[in-house]
Amino acid sequence: MKINKFVFTVVAGLSAAACAGSNNPNTLIAREEPAVIHFENASSEQAAVYAVSGSESRRIGTVFAGQLAKLRVPASMVSRGSVNIFARLLARNEQPQSGSIAIRPGSAYEVTLLPDRRTITVLPGVPDWA
């Protein structure tokens, strides 16, 4: 009888510990983690992609015409809560931009530069850990 109680206690303790360490996405993300932009360049021009947050502007990558690239938004920008993505096109005056995007650590977005070279669309993406 005492052995059954002991086994029950151990099993219950292990079960509680397993549930406490569940894969809740909110517990897996550190505040210093960057956000990810899956940038699709559907235009016929090469695009230098920038992230702007507050007064800080950083080039986060270059995406060739017709290509898809995974770009990281620096954690220092993500911590501010919003970012604007814009593209500087090679040999063009257009600078399409996304407008303000609410962003958080570990989040992912699908950003597309459309063929008209004037429009950028933004959709929530699937994070890498999902």
Side-chain angles (χ1 to χ4, degrees), residues 33 42 57 66 78 90 101 118 125 127-128:
E33 189 173 342
S57 176
V78 174
L90 184 65
I101 303 170
R118 293 185 181 140
D128 289 339

Side-chain angles (χ1 to χ4, degrees), residues 38-117:
H38 298 275
F39 192 94
E40 180 182 358
N41 185 354
S43 78
S44 59
E45 303 291 330
Q46 175 179 318
V49 182
Y50 291 81
V52 179
S53 182
S55 61
E56 184 179 5
S57 176
R58 279 202 204 167
R59 184 178 183 159
I60 58 174
T62 299
V63 184
F64 296 104
Q67 299 293 310
L68 176 67
K70 181 178 174 181
L71 308 173
R72 297 197 183 278
V73 178
S76 62
M77 293 180 142
V78 174
S79 66
R80 292 186 186 116
S82 67
V83 71
N84 183 9
I85 304 297
F86 78 91
R88 204 174 265 165
L89 302 176
L90 184 65
R92 296 276 182 184
N93 290 331
E94 292 100 351
Q95 287 189 0
Q97 58 183 308
S98 65
S100 184
I101 303 170
I103 198 164
R104 15 176 232 149
S107 60
Y109 297 88
E110 295 176 14
V111 178
T112 304
L113 173 60
L114 297 179
D116 69 1
R117 297 184 308 265

Side-chain angles (χ1 to χ4, degrees), residues 12-27:
L14 290 174
S15 297
C19 289
S22 69
N23 288 336
N24 182 350
N26 295 329
T27 61

